[in-house]
């Protein structure tokens, strides 16, 4: 079965020192890098996402409720939107940016970054701005996805739910994710399991 790895939002703002840090975010960046070093050959393709906000409306708030509204984070072209330095990006073949003008929790809301480092081969005649993650996975004949990154109870959760809905055999590698709170993380993992996502723990 052709499998893709999706690395979700391992960005400076979501790690310690960022504007919206997840506890253990930097540790997850390093752990994902180690996983890539030892297991990149297990995947047909490897993709990553970036929150990439321009004007996401009520998603940003000076008085956030940390449910539907949040402090300013991952502004397009900002330092905080960059991948965390402990994430080894050498194995990542395509970047998908999401949330320019809305919240966009799921990787499946992202579009291929116009400055993707790796050429798209046969896809070069496709307008990059129009290539969604689902388009790209199907062009590469992907049947299954494994999901890692930040945060378990928000963007990882939304990505996994959309992956199942799109028909992919979906696994979340829990040890390579971190959540905002223990309670909402466990609730998210229960929801994912009920939806048909395989929850993989070491």
């Amino acid at each position: 079965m052709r499998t893709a790895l999706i690395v979700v939002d391992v960005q400076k703002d979501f790690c310690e020192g960022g504007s919206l840090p997840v506890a253990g975010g930097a540790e997850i960046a390093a752990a994902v890098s180690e996983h890539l070093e030892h297991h990149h050959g297990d995947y047909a393709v490897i993709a990553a996402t970036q929150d990439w906000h321009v004007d996401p409306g009520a998603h940003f708030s000076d008085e956030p409720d940390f449910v539907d509204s949040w402090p300013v984070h991952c502004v397009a072209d900002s330092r905080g939107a960059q991948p965390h330095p402990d994430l080894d990006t050498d194995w990542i073949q395509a970047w998908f940016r999401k949330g320019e003008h809305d919240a966009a929790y799921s990787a499946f809301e992202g579009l291929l970054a116009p400055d993707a480092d790796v050429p798209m081969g046969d896809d070069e005649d496709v307008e990059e701005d129009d290539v969604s993650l689902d388009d790209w996975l199907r062009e590469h004949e992907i049947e299954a996805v494994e999901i890692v990154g930040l945060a378990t109870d928000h963007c990882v959760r939304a990505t996994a739910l959309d992956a199942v809905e799109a028909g992919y055999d979906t696994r979340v590698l829990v040890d390579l994710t971190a959540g905002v709170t223990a309670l909402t993380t466990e609730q998210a993992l229960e929801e994912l399991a009920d939806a048909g996502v395989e929850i993989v723990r070491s």
Side-chain angles (χ1 to χ4, degrees):
M1 182 174 290
R2 287 177 60 82
T3 301
L5 180 69
I6 303 173
V7 181
V8 176
D9 293 2
V10 183
Q11 296 168 263
K12 290 180 179 179
D13 268 351
F14 293 138
C15 297
E16 292 81 352
S19 65
L20 188 56
V22 177
E27 183 179 350
I28 291 302
V32 170
S33 293
E34 184 175 356
H35 181 77
L36 288 168
E37 177 67 24
H38 295 290
H39 297 285
H40 62 270
D42 298 343
Y43 302 105
V45 292
I46 299 169
T49 68
Q50 290 174 289
D51 248 17
W52 197 256
H53 296 306
V54 175
D55 181 13
H59 186 59
F60 283 174
S61 175
D62 292 334
E63 297 180 356
D65 61 16
F66 296 93
V67 177
D68 298 310
S69 60
W70 305 88
V72 173
H73 61 275
C74 297
V75 172
D77 293 313
S78 71
R79 177 185 177 280
Q82 295 172 1
H84 190 274
D86 290 343
L87 177 66
D88 182 356
T89 61
D90 289 348
W91 300 109
I92 295 171
Q93 296 163 263
W95 292 87
F96 291 83
R97 292 173 174 168
K98 56 188 177 66
E100 286 192 10
H101 300 289
D102 53 18
Y105 292 96
S106 171
F108 285 85
E109 298 176 77
L111 295 176
L112 183 67
D115 55 352
D117 291 335
V118 177
M120 296 301 294
D122 292 339
D123 304 331
E124 287 177 351
D125 60 339
V126 177
E127 285 294 329
E128 287 186 332
D129 287 346
D130 295 331
V131 178
S132 70
L133 176 60
D134 188 45
D135 293 335
W136 190 78
L137 294 174
R138 295 191 188 283
E139 286 161 3
H140 289 84
E141 301 180 339
I142 298 302
E143 303 162 277
V145 297
E146 293 187 352
I147 301 168
V148 302
L150 305 171
T152 319
D153 40 352
H154 293 281
C155 293
V156 169
R157 168 189 167 275
T159 298
L161 289 173
D162 279 355
V164 167
E165 180 68 22
Y168 297 100
D169 183 352
T170 305
R171 295 181 287 279
V172 170
L173 309 186
V174 176
D175 294 342
L176 298 178
T177 71
V180 174
T181 73
L183 176 60
T184 54
T185 295
E186 284 308 311
Q187 290 173 337
L189 293 175
E190 290 175 8
E191 179 184 7
L192 293 176
D194 289 343
V197 176
E198 182 181 352
I199 305 301
V200 179
R201 304 177 190 263
S202 63

